[in-house]
Amino acid sequence: MTEMIVSVLIVLGGGFAAIAGLGLLRLPDVLIRMHATTKAGTLAAGLIVLGVSVYFASSLVITKALLIIAFLFLTAPVGAHLIARAVYRRKLPLWDKTLFDDAAMKSTDKASENALSDNADQGLDK
């Protein structure tokens, strides 16, 4: 039974790592990519470490595994936030379909252009 639990945890961790890798390759924007890799990567590493701790089942390994998971959950959001701030301050372009810039609390120029073109298109259809 232990091998089944370990197998499920490690396969789930590998699946989330694959999802994080796909997100890194396929998503359109640095901030969106970072969001996907931070969430899925942290969960993947946590599940794999948890699987290792279940397999070895000693108090020392379980303690280390819990400390590793706590460290991941504390540092990943902080690191992602700092990277996002650096990206935003360098004014790297956002995704074309981004409608609202939350950090600046304003809509993007693209959003107003899209709204104007949508209204113009609707007027022509009538």
Side-chain angles (χ1 to χ4, degrees):
M1 186 67 181
T2 303
E3 285 96 12
M4 273 305 258
I5 294 170
V6 170
S7 299
V8 167
L9 288 172
I10 291 177
V11 167
L12 279 174
F16 278 107
I19 290 170
L22 284 173
L24 186 62
L25 290 174
R26 299 286 299 162
L27 292 173
D29 176 334
V30 173
L31 298 174
I32 298 171
R33 281 185 214 131
M34 184 183 55
H35 178 75
T37 56
T38 302
K39 301 286 186 206
T42 302
L43 187 57
L47 286 171
I48 291 170
V49 168
L50 192 62
V52 168
S53 70
V54 169
Y55 182 75
F56 288 107
S58 74
S59 60
L60 181 62
V61 173
I62 292 171
T63 304
K64 287 181 181 181
L66 292 176
L67 287 173
I68 290 169
I69 292 170
F71 181 76
L72 284 172
F73 283 173
L74 290 174
T75 58
V78 173
H81 178 75
L82 292 174
I83 293 170
R85 281 183 60 149
V87 165
Y88 188 77
R89 286 184 178 190
R90 295 231 16 211
K91 297 188 186 323
L92 290 177
L94 297 175
W95 183 34
D96 292 340
K97 295 184 182 178
T98 300
L99 299 178
F100 193 79
D101 185 356
D102 289 327
M105 297 299 290
K106 64 179 182 179
S107 62
T108 61
D109 293 334
K110 298 170 204 158
S112 58
E113 290 172 8
N114 289 340
L116 290 174
S117 67
D118 288 343
N119 289 337
D121 291 341
Q122 291 174 358
L124 293 176
D125 291 339
K126 290 182 180 178

